[in-house]
Amino acid sequence: VGVDGGGGGGSGGADDDEALFGRAARRTKLSDVRKVETLSVIELGRVNLVQHRQTSAFYALKIYKKADVIRLRQADHVNWERQILKALAGAAPHLQRFVKSFQDEKNLYMLLEYAPGGDL
């Protein structure tokens, strides 16, 4: 299961991420953000409000537990979600902008623009 097709914190489309949010998006990894609060709990994990340690920008971080994604046979769904969000980034102003995806041994992560009052 891989949102970005790589392991250990890579980005499947770093050039696209960089075009949207500058060079910081290419380098952002989990240790670059700090959890502020949990925004919601979703079937496959949770969504946290996070703040980038260097820029102080706020983002929504969707965290999917790999074990649940596999157990519930949702790998295709998660991959399609990422591809759709990435394809629509910037093209549809009413949708949250996709910033970056990455993963570690236990989780898949999607970093999204934070939209207070929005629905993830």
Side-chain angles (χ1 to χ4, degrees):
V1 164
V3 168
D4 62 11
S11 170
D15 293 335
D16 294 337
D17 298 341
E18 185 174 338
L20 286 171
F21 283 86
R23 300 185 94 169
R26 173 175 260 179
R27 296 183 304 267
T28 300
K29 53 190 180 293
L30 188 59
S31 61
D32 293 333
V33 297
R34 70 171 185 83
K35 178 183 173 185
V36 175
E37 66 179 297
T38 298
L39 295 173
S40 65
V41 176
I42 56 177
E43 183 177 10
L44 301 172
R46 65 191 174 282
V47 180
N48 289 339
L49 173 63
V50 297
Q51 186 174 27
H52 194 277
R53 293 179 191 277
Q54 190 173 38
T55 67
S56 298
F58 288 96
Y59 297 97
L61 182 66
K62 281 183 124 174
I63 304 168
Y64 295 99
K65 296 178 185 175
K66 284 184 178 181
D68 289 344
V69 170
I70 293 167
R71 180 177 55 81
L72 296 170
R73 298 177 187 208
Q74 294 296 308
D76 287 340
H77 172 85
V78 172
N79 279 314
W80 275 110
E81 178 184 7
R82 177 190 174 271
Q83 289 176 17
I84 290 167
L85 287 171
K86 193 170 183 177
L88 294 176
H94 58 284
L95 294 178
Q96 273 184 306
R97 284 192 179 162
F98 171 86
V99 177
K100 179 177 179 129
S101 62
F102 49 96
Q103 62 183 300
D104 60 24
E105 290 180 18
K106 294 182 180 182
N107 298 307
L108 304 170
Y109 303 93
M110 275 192 235
L111 193 64
L112 306 167
E113 172 184 48
Y114 174 57
D119 186 17
L120 301 170

